[in-house]
Amino acid sequence: MNDDDPGLRGTQRQPTLDKPAGATREPAADPAHTDPAHTDPAGTGGQPGEETDGGGRARRFWAARRVPSVLVALVLLGAAGLLLYDVAAVRADHPAMAWRKRLAAELAARHLDDVWVLVGAAVAVVLGIWLVLLAVTPGLRAVLPMRRTTPGVRGGLDRAAAALVLRDRAMEVPGVQAVRVAVGRRRAKARAVSHFRELYEVRGDLETALGDGLRQLGLARRLALSVRVRRSAKR
């Protein structure tokens, strides 16, 4: 092909992708024949057991820890204020408070292997570990994070409310006389009493109903389901 041909002037050649020899075009994937073992159930590459809808990963809610924070602040403020007042009083040629004299004498006389010294050290260590745990753990174990569908918006569901919803769903199953539902952070447990129908039929219907109920709750983590059914006591 000659580029000086008048009929080809003013035209541009489109770029082409050079393929190596022997390369063949891969056929488009057929969604009807996709291997389910290699598909992500959430479609977002999240971890197993966690569901997201494009709003980001749902994390646990952190407690404000207002009561422990206020208590620690008040204790430190009171101790620091009392010590500073006593130091200022001594600097102003006033006698030190009796408690500071007693404390200084006790610390000078008691050894490290004394019982009261060991007890005080143990109490300080326990309080320190407790405060560290409060600082590094989320808390709010009774709130289950819900699946995030909108960026910047977070939702939570109380475990007691989730158990109440599942209990209502379970009571709609024929043959269920009474049921108790407990919802934890990773598992939902249902204990039902049946007064008619076969137990395996009631158990199967309960698993189906409660499984649908768990999916409709919109929780970020899929809870495992445990169902037990027993026959009601005859009167």
Side-chain angles (χ1 to χ4, degrees):
M1 182 179 294
N2 188 2
D3 293 340
D4 296 334
D5 189 354
L8 297 179
R9 293 178 181 177
T11 62
Q12 295 181 354
R13 181 175 298 175
Q14 297 296 328
T16 59
L17 179 62
D18 295 333
K19 293 184 178 180
T24 58
R25 181 180 181 183
E26 296 182 357
D30 187 1
H33 296 83
T34 304
D35 187 2
H38 298 280
T39 58
D40 184 19
T44 57
Q47 297 181 354
E50 185 176 353
E51 300 178 358
T52 56
D53 285 342
R57 184 178 178 181
R59 300 182 181 274
R60 290 181 55 188
F61 290 86
W62 281 75
R65 314 287 193 189
R66 293 185 178 89
V67 175
S69 301
V70 170
L71 291 178
V72 172
L74 290 178
V75 170
L76 293 179
L77 181 62
L82 188 62
L83 182 60
L84 289 176
Y85 174 80
D86 190 46
V87 171
V90 172
R91 292 290 184 178
D93 297 331
H94 293 282
M97 293 184 178
W99 66 269
R100 196 154 73 94
K101 294 180 180 179
R102 177 68 179 274
L103 180 61
E106 292 291 338
L107 292 177
R110 294 183 182 273
H111 299 283
L112 294 179
D113 57 350
D114 187 80
V115 176
W116 290 107
V117 174
L118 295 177
V119 170
V123 172
V125 169
V126 171
L127 290 177
I129 294 176
W130 178 61
L131 293 177
V132 170
L133 289 177
L134 290 180
V136 300
T137 54
L140 293 181
R141 299 176 62 89
V143 179
L144 299 174
M146 301 183 68
R147 187 168 55 248
R148 299 184 64 178
T149 58
T150 303
V153 179
R154 300 181 60 193
L157 181 62
D158 190 77
R159 285 161 53 180
L164 183 60
V165 172
L166 295 178
R167 179 186 176 276
D168 293 340
R169 293 291 297 269
M171 290 300 298
E172 296 176 357
V173 175
V176 175
Q177 183 180 15
V179 63
R180 291 185 303 173
V181 178
V183 176
R185 290 178 52 200
R186 295 179 176 86
R187 181 180 297 272
K189 299 179 181 180
R191 303 295 180 263
V193 177
S194 176
H195 58 294
F196 71 93
R197 296 182 68 196
E198 296 294 336
L199 295 183
Y200 70 90
E201 295 179 355
V202 178
R203 185 183 301 109
D205 292 345
L206 275 176
E207 291 177 351
T208 302
L210 295 180
D212 293 339
L214 286 174
R215 284 189 292 270
Q216 293 176 5
L217 289 178
L219 299 178
R221 178 183 294 273
R222 294 191 297 270
L223 302 181
L225 180 61
S226 174
V227 178
R228 291 184 182 179
V229 183
R230 64 181 178 88
R231 185 67 67 189
S232 60
K234 297 181 179 180
R235 296 181 180 178

